[in-house]
Amino acid sequence: MGNVVAVGLASSFLEPLEATSIHGTIGQLICLTEWMDQLGAGERYNATAARQVEDFRDFVRLHYVSERRDTAYWRDVTASHPPVVTERLEKWSRKFPSREDFEPFPLGLAHVQEQLYVPVLNGLGLLSQDLARAEMARDPKLRQRARETHASLVAEYSRAAEKCLPHRAWLESLHKETVA
């Protein structure tokens, strides 16, 4: 008794919308190996794993924030967001999301924080563009890094696209393989 640990998908599964299981497994293994020989390691590990799942749940639920109310499903989803989701959305309607909005994760491990939330909020139309512009204007180094990162990604994707077959040619090549 007491010699079994659930790790990765054996410990939890939310849904495939976000690929949280690999990240979660790695974090769990790091915590497990770091704490294994310490007194109270089981309780500490279990509390950390539970927190991890709750944080993943909140992040996944953010993806379901929608104006839709046309079916019972969407009415139920809207009425059942965890309180932390609605509280954060209310806060972020007045303030740009930041690292300080998230409790640090044990061992200083990377976790579900603003760097994941900002793109999802933006994609859902929930990120105030005025707050985003103000955040970029506040920090010239951040603005420059964003410009450089954007330019680098555009260049990288453009180079990759030049090496690819056009879509029609690729589809025709598939058809030739099945006929041959």
Side-chain angles (χ1 to χ4, degrees):
M1 182 79 127
N3 62 352
V4 176
V5 175
V7 176
L9 293 176
S11 69
S12 68
F13 179 75
L14 293 175
E15 67 154 307
L17 178 67
E18 282 293 328
T20 54
S21 65
I22 294 172
H23 171 84
T25 301
I26 292 168
Q28 289 171 353
L29 289 170
I30 291 170
C31 289
L32 183 63
T33 57
E34 184 70 25
W35 300 330
M36 193 168 5
D37 296 331
Q38 297 176 9
L39 186 62
E43 293 79 15
R44 191 173 187 187
Y45 174 83
N46 288 338
T48 299
R51 159 141 181 241
Q52 185 183 55
V53 171
E54 289 171 0
D55 290 347
F56 289 163
R57 175 207 60 202
D58 298 340
F59 181 61
V60 168
R61 283 302 298 264
L62 176 69
H63 291 72
Y64 288 87
V65 172
S66 171
E67 297 298 318
R68 289 188 61 181
R69 307 289 185 276
D70 58 326
T71 65
Y73 173 82
W74 285 108
R75 288 187 293 276
D76 181 61
V77 166
T78 300
S80 64
H81 288 305
V84 69
V85 172
T86 53
E87 290 164 8
R88 284 179 176 160
L89 287 173
E90 197 279 321
K91 178 187 223 176
W92 293 334
S93 70
R94 302 180 318 277
K95 173 198 166 300
F96 195 79
S98 68
R99 181 69 44 101
E100 293 75 36
D101 297 334
F102 300 88
E103 180 184 338
F105 201 70
L107 301 175
L109 295 173
H111 195 51
V112 183
Q113 295 163 320
E114 84 291 348
Q115 75 276 19
L116 296 179
Y117 272 81
V118 168
V120 175
L121 290 165
N122 191 46
L124 292 171
L126 300 171
L127 185 68
S128 165
Q129 297 306 299
D130 290 337
L131 289 175
R133 278 190 284 280
E135 183 73 11
M136 295 302 275
R138 184 182 64 74
D139 186 346
K141 288 180 182 176
L142 176 64
R143 186 173 57 245
Q144 183 59 31
R145 192 171 92 225
R147 286 183 177 139
E148 290 168 0
T149 300
H150 179 262
S152 172
L153 289 171
V154 168
E156 180 182 339
Y157 296 155
S158 296
R159 282 190 305 274
E162 290 170 5
K163 296 177 183 179
C164 294
L165 284 174
H167 192 237
R168 172 60 51 201
W170 182 74
L171 290 173
E172 288 172 357
S173 76
L174 291 177
H175 179 70
K176 288 178 187 173
E177 288 178 18
T178 59
V179 173

